[in-house]
Every structure is written in C-alpha cells, then in structure tokens.
Amino acid sequence: MGHPLEAAGGTAKSSANLERPRGFRVWAFRVTLLLALSGIGGLGYLALQAEATPPSLDPTLASLATSFAYTSTTNPTLTEGPPTESATPAPTLSSELGSLILASRSGGRSHLRAYIPGSSGPITLTSGDFDDRDPALNPANDQLAFASDRDGGWDLYVMDLQSGDTRRLTNTPGYEGHPSWSPDGLWLTYEAYQQTDFDIWILRVDGSQPPIQLTNQESQDISPAWDPKGRTIAFVSDRDGSPDIFLADLASPDNRFHNLTQTTRDMESDPAFDPSGDHIAYVSSNLGVDQIRILPVGGTGTDAQVVGQGRRPAWAPDGSRLLAILSTPFDGSSLVAYGVVQGSSPALPLPTLGSIERAVWAQSGLPGEIAAHAAASEDAPALEDPVVWDSAGRAGLVALTNIQAPHAALSDAVDAHFNALRDRTSDRLGWDFLSQLDYAFVGLNDPLPPGFQYNDWLYTGRAFAFGQGAVEAGWVEVVREDFGGQTYWRIWVRTLLQDGSLGEPIRERPWDFGARQLSDPLSYDQGGALKAVVPGGYFVDFTRLAADYKFERLPALANWRTYLPGTRFGEFAMTEGLSWLQAMLQMYPPEAIATPTEFRTPTPTPTRTVRPTPTPWWWYWRTPTPSSTASPMATPTLSP
C-alpha cells in the first residue's frame, strides 16, 4: 500500500526523514528561515544602493534628465566625499583656514600653486614651458582638475594630490577649459570650443563614456559651475543678447534653460554656487566696475545683493566668506576676502605672488607628499643684454633689426625686452607680428599725429606702437576694458594656424571702431560699439604677453571717441615705475627738456586769408548793356 501523500499526488518521504527527531526539524526550519530573511535583506540593500547611485549617462540629451533625476541621501559640500584608501596616509599640511589652490602667472607662464594661510609662501604644483589654469578641486579634496596647453592645444587634466600624478582627460583639436566637478566626484562639466562656437559639455572622469553636449546654440555658453545638489549647472550665455547667468535643469528635458539675471546693460560672468547650493555668486560689470553679487537660486537679478568689487568669486567651505580677484590695468592682480555671513570676519592672510588668475578654497590641507615634491617657483627669464649707461646716466639708442618703422630704434634700457617679446610673440602666433610698427623711437623734433600729448612715451625710446592696418586686415581684435574712468584696450592677435594647436578662442565681444561711421548717433557718441558677435578662430592675448616682458598698455586719450589715433590701442611702454620726465632724462640732457611745452605741428606755408579783389575805377563808368546770342534757346547775359 502506497503512502498517503503519494495518493494525494505528493512525494513520499524517506523513512530516514520520518524517523528524525522533532528538535532537529525545528532547528532546520529556523536555519532555513534565517537564510531566507538574509537573502531578502541583501536584495533590499542592493535595491537601495541602486536607487542612491545615479545611473550611467547615455550620450543623448533625451536621457540626460532622467540620468540625474535621482534623490541623493545627503547634501554634499566641499568637505564631504568618499575616504581615500591608503595603507599609509600621507601627512597633511593644514591650518584652521584650510588651503588655497591658485592659478597665478609669473615668469611668463601660468601655473598652479597651493598656499596654506599663515605659511611662509606658496608651493608650486606645476611648472614647465606651458600654461596651466582653471583649477577645480573635487568634493573629496584629493583630485585637482585643470586646463593646460602642455601638449599643444588646450585640454583637461586631473592631478592626484596624494601622489602628484597627472592624467589627461581630453584629447581633441579644439579647446577645453573651465572644469567643474559633480557632487559625487564622478563627472566634470566644462566649456568646449568647436567649429567657432562655445558650448557646455559633461564628461565622466574615468573615461568610461563619451562626452555629452549639454548646450547646442549659436551663442557663447561658457564658465559652467555644478551645484552641490547635483541637479543644475549654472553657466554664462549671451543667447539673449548680452551675457547673463543661466541655469540648466538636468532633471527637465523640456524648458531646461532659465535666465536668472536678464539684464541688458550689465554683463554677467563667473557663476559660483555656495556650499549649500542655495545661492550663486557672480560678477556684474558695467562701465568698468566689476561688482560681486549673490543671488538666491530661485530669485531674479533684482534680488541680488552686492558684496564688493572683484572677479572670479570663490566660496569658503563653510560659506561664510568669499575670495575675489582685484585686477589692475597692467594685468596685475591681488586677492581680497569678503565676509558674507553676519558676524564672519573677512580677515585672512593672503599670498602675494605674480598675477593671480583664479582661486579655489579647500577646507582640508595639502598632502605632505605633494608639499615635499612640489616644484620650485619660476622667476622671469633673465635677459642677457646689460644696459650701457654713459657717465651722465643716459642710455643710447639701439637699432632694431628687420623692423619696418619710421625710426626703428629703442632705448638700450628696453631693446632686449622688446626683442624677447617679439620672439615670444612669433612663437605663440606662428608669424612675426612686431615686424611692422607705426612708431618706435620718436625724436623731439619729429611730430606725432595732431591730438597726441607732448609727454607721450614714444619720445622716451621706451615705447612702440603697431598700426591700424592689422586691425583692418582682421588679424587683430580689440576688446574694451575700463578701469576707474579710464579706457584701456586688450589686444588679441590671430594665430597663423587655426587648428587649435596655437592660441585660444576669444570669450568677449571686441570693440568696433568703424561703427562710429554709421548712422547710429549713439555709436558715434561712444566712439564705436561692441561687435554683434564674437569673432571665431584662435587668438593670442598680446596684452598679457607684453605685460610678461614689462610693457604696459597706455590708456586712451580724452578725445578718443571722436579721434581714432587718440585711442592709442596699439601703444605699449616699458615704464619701470619711472615718470615721463625721469624717462626723458635717461635719453636727453636736462637743458633739452627744461621747460617742456605742448608740441604743436608747425605749418611750413601758412595759408593767406582770402580778401576781396578791388574793382578798377573805370568799371563804374561803363554802363552794362544786354545782348543775346544767335541761338533761339540762348540765355540772356550781361556784358559791359
């Protein structure tokens, strides 16, 4: 007879199982239940991890929103991030104020440096015959992203701050710069210039996915900043006419871009989120004044509060203070700190080194291994051409070779710097830009164009000027910059090769002097107008190169709006802190310039005043009589 379970369609148990004691069966049941609960808990943990970790980005804008549409369990700040695994943690150089990562220019190069407030001086992180700039620190404070032209064109790199190893992130013929980290430290957003257009892109740091294009409009979309909450990216765009601060909502595929400031007269730049992600600091420029403002993310431009003057704001890790850069007309700069929270003190020991271009503020210190192996700072290149002074303390004139100019010579005190600048410019441009000059040295008896001042630096032998022809030919673009009520010009020169291997794109609209000849009264009164679009192509900032070799640009004369030579956009002088009279005494004896007066251009053949011709007396005694010609269509005339 079969087993009752077999009759019911079941499976008969073996006699061995039936004969096991009851306690054993209870124990086995408990073990089975425990394993089942553990499995369910493991699946739940994996599900939670999958929900808390953002999915991988698909390289299409359609899936970009859903890729970042996740809820983070924390609100990360600059001080948070995954711990760095290390068998032997490196010592850390730090202070209660954290550390600063700076991009500064000295010795004709831009490089990255670190500074611990209160220390003796900065530590050089990069060095070489190239430029490094735009530093960006990841949330864990152990990796530094930056832009560099060390391999030719401008690409993105990342440095491990524990070991100092540097890895290249992009390798394109275009331009990439201004990186900003995502709050999870896995992505970078940056600006890229391709096919005469700036756009915002997103890149996975480990290189596992191709870059994703966030913006795609014919406008200048630059300077992205990722908010600490991970959902939006702030950037600058002129798509509405003038540069404004925009927000890109990564979780919204429709109506993704929103104009925060919406101004027409002001030009905004340099957005930076505070550590909470609730406020944006940015720069508003108008009439040569750069104001740092703070705007709530949900507000408008009218809700912004003015903090102080400067550019490129950088938040303290606790959000209590802001760093800013104060610039001078001669490409010099310094750091300044502002307290933005009530009760916070802006007092901060700040370094003085070269021309500071950008600053990043980190709460953690600098790894000791980096500090121990950091490169030494570079000084300006030495020029092996000593100046020959005579017994009266005057320098002679030195002829310039292969230079086309009315008098191709400069003072012995500056000719070596000019030749070095010329070689450097030719190397960066691929062509000899300074081979043709409108002016070099100008003698006391050689007149300058009418309207120039008698104390122009061209008389000292310490200045030179290139001409309007380069501008008219399209090889030079001139950007207007105002400082303290005076107008200066930044000169951008087009490179010979336009494949991205030389130079960089222009980010601002140049000035159009020809607009004054149009029928627009406003353009005539202003001496021109901004160009409608930013010119495409690659250029070199000649004003910066000239400053590297101590040549300063000169301000425009008061009459520049109605008199083009008064702009003086092409004139550069090596003043070395001298007054004009002191510089003249290095060239002339005192009696030659004892009583300087305004130079007036002499007229070699003065034009006589027009006077009426006297009428002879006999003319009045002859009575005119009318007469006509034989032609039927003749016009009657009078004859004496």
Side-chain angles (χ1 to χ4, degrees):
M1 182 177 179
H3 197 276
L5 289 179
E6 292 181 339
T11 302
K13 295 182 180 180
S14 64
S15 58
N17 291 336
L18 293 175
E19 295 174 357
R20 288 177 179 174
R22 177 178 178 84
F24 176 83
R25 292 196 301 270
V26 172
W27 177 84
F29 174 78
R30 291 177 178 176
V31 171
T32 304
L33 180 62
L34 180 60
L35 292 175
L37 292 176
S38 300
I40 294 174
L43 293 175
Y45 175 78
L46 292 177
L48 290 175
Q49 288 294 100
E51 181 179 356
T53 303
S56 299
L57 285 179
D58 184 76
T60 59
L61 284 177
S63 62
L64 182 61
T66 57
S67 299
F68 278 94
Y70 70 97
T71 302
S72 176
T73 57
T74 61
N75 183 17
T77 65
L78 289 178
T79 62
E80 296 180 359
T84 301
E85 297 181 0
S86 176
T88 305
T92 300
L93 300 179
S94 63
S95 71
E96 60 180 8
L97 297 174
S99 59
L100 304 179
I101 306 294
L102 307 172
S104 62
R105 189 171 185 86
S106 63
R109 301 291 185 271
S110 298
H111 284 300
L112 306 181
R113 296 171 173 87
Y115 176 73
I116 308 299
S119 62
S120 58
I123 300 171
T124 301
L125 299 180
T126 64
S127 62
D129 191 15
F130 47 80
D131 292 323
D132 300 322
R133 64 189 189 195
D134 297 343
L137 201 61
N138 71 333
N141 284 197
D142 59 0
Q143 293 188 29
L144 184 68
F146 60 95
S148 177
D149 65 350
R150 60 182 61 195
D151 293 316
W154 284 95
D155 288 295
L156 298 181
Y157 296 79
V158 63
M159 173 188 291
D160 188 329
L161 290 181
Q162 293 291 340
S163 63
D165 296 336
T166 300
R167 179 169 57 92
R168 189 175 183 177
L169 297 180
T170 62
N171 186 5
T172 69
Y175 165 93
E176 288 90 25
H178 204 114
S180 177
W181 292 85
S182 65
D184 57 8
L186 301 178
W187 303 85
L188 281 174
T189 180
Y190 60 96
E191 62 185 22
Y193 183 82
Q194 297 179 3
Q195 299 178 353
T196 71
D197 187 26
F198 262 112
D199 282 304
I200 307 300
W201 290 69
I202 297 175
L203 171 69
R204 192 170 178 91
V205 178
D206 61 8
S208 60
Q209 296 188 23
I212 301 168
Q213 187 171 356
L214 179 61
T215 64
N216 188 16
Q217 278 195 313
E218 293 183 359
S219 59
Q220 292 281 102
D221 298 331
I222 57 176
S223 303
W226 213 316
D227 84 297
K229 298 178 181 179
R231 289 179 171 270
T232 59
I233 293 176
F235 63 98
V236 179
S237 178
D238 61 356
R239 61 184 63 190
D240 290 343
S242 64
D244 290 313
I245 304 298
F246 278 75
L247 276 185
D249 187 354
L250 301 179
S252 175
D254 300 324
N255 299 322
R256 170 170 289 136
F257 305 109
H258 175 59
N259 190 336
L260 285 183
T261 52
Q262 300 183 16
T263 59
T264 56
R265 298 182 59 185
D266 298 340
M267 294 185 292
E268 282 80 29
S269 61
D270 304 328
F273 283 96
D274 71 335
S276 68
D278 296 330
H279 297 83
I280 297 178
Y282 66 95
V283 177
S284 178
S285 302
N286 189 1
L287 298 178
V289 178
D290 298 328
Q291 289 184 336
I292 296 179
R293 301 183 179 183
I294 297 179
L295 173 68
V297 171
T300 61
T302 57
D303 301 324
Q305 297 182 354
V306 177
V307 175
Q309 294 190 12
R311 298 183 67 88
R312 298 179 177 88
W315 289 90
D318 60 359
S320 63
R321 286 175 284 192
L322 269 175
L323 283 180
I325 297 176
L326 295 178
S327 301
T328 68
F330 313 119
D331 269 23
S333 61
S334 59
L335 279 177
V336 63
Y338 295 106
V340 296
V341 175
Q342 186 175 5
S344 62
S345 172
L348 184 71
L350 298 174
T352 302
L353 59 140
S355 176
I356 299 176
E357 300 172 332
R358 189 170 295 275
V360 177
W361 199 338
Q363 184 175 6
S364 63
L366 190 69
E369 186 174 349
I370 284 289
H373 296 88
S377 300
E378 293 184 346
D379 297 325
L383 302 178
E384 299 180 358
D385 188 6
V387 181
V388 178
W389 303 94
D390 63 12
S391 58
R394 292 191 293 269
L397 284 175
V398 177
L400 302 176
T401 59
N402 300 322
I403 294 287
Q404 295 183 16
H407 192 171
L410 288 176
S411 169
D412 192 17
V414 305
D415 70 302
H417 289 78
F418 174 83
N419 291 329
L421 171 61
R422 180 185 178 187
D423 293 340
R424 178 65 174 165
T425 304
S426 300
D427 179 66
R428 297 296 301 272
L429 291 174
W431 62 285
D432 193 355
F433 168 61
L434 295 178
S435 62
Q436 295 184 0
L437 302 176
D438 272 9
Y439 296 100
F441 169 72
V442 176
L444 282 177
N445 296 323
D446 298 332
L448 285 172
F452 270 63
Q453 296 175 329
Y454 77 93
N455 59 346
D456 194 279
W457 279 88
L458 290 172
Y459 289 117
T460 68
R462 286 177 162 266
F464 66 90
F466 67 88
Q468 176 73 14
V471 179
E472 295 175 351
W475 286 95
V476 170
E477 297 291 346
V478 182
V479 176
R480 178 180 173 180
E481 296 180 349
D482 293 281
F483 293 88
Q486 287 187 310
T487 299
Y488 293 81
W489 312 98
R490 183 167 297 276
I491 305 301
W492 291 88
V493 185
R494 187 180 295 272
T495 61
L496 180 64
L497 300 178
Q498 289 291 304
D499 57 0
S501 61
L502 297 173
E504 60 184 290
I506 301 178
R507 302 160 59 90
E508 299 175 321
R509 286 187 291 173
W511 192 257
D512 183 9
F513 294 106
R516 74 176 75 194
Q517 306 298 333
L518 303 178
S519 57
D520 182 16
L522 181 61
S523 298
Y524 179 81
D525 292 339
Q526 293 181 344
L530 291 173
K531 289 189 175 182
V533 296
V534 177
Y538 291 87
F539 297 78
V540 168
D541 186 350
F542 177 76
T543 302
R544 175 181 294 175
L545 289 183
D548 290 339
Y549 293 91
K550 302 182 180 181
F551 281 97
E552 303 172 355
R553 55 182 174 176
L554 299 180
L557 300 178
N559 62 349
W560 74 267
R561 291 175 175 83
T562 57
Y563 183 61
L564 184 59
T567 59
R568 297 202 300 185
F569 62 81
E571 186 171 346
F572 292 80
M574 183 175 168
T575 64
E576 294 187 300
L578 301 173
S579 66
W580 178 83
L581 182 58
Q582 290 172 333
M584 290 292 286
L585 290 174
Q586 290 184 354
M587 183 68 60
Y588 297 98
E591 55 269 18
I593 49 175
T595 55
T597 56
E598 183 176 356
F599 184 85
R600 299 181 182 277
T601 304
T603 303
T605 54
T607 304
R608 297 180 180 275
T609 303
V610 179
R611 299 181 181 277
T613 303
T615 304
W617 61 269
W618 49 268
W619 179 275
Y620 299 101
W621 291 91
R622 305 179 66 178
T623 303
T625 57
S627 62
S628 60
T629 61
S631 172
M633 301 296 296
T635 301
T637 59
L638 298 178
S639 60

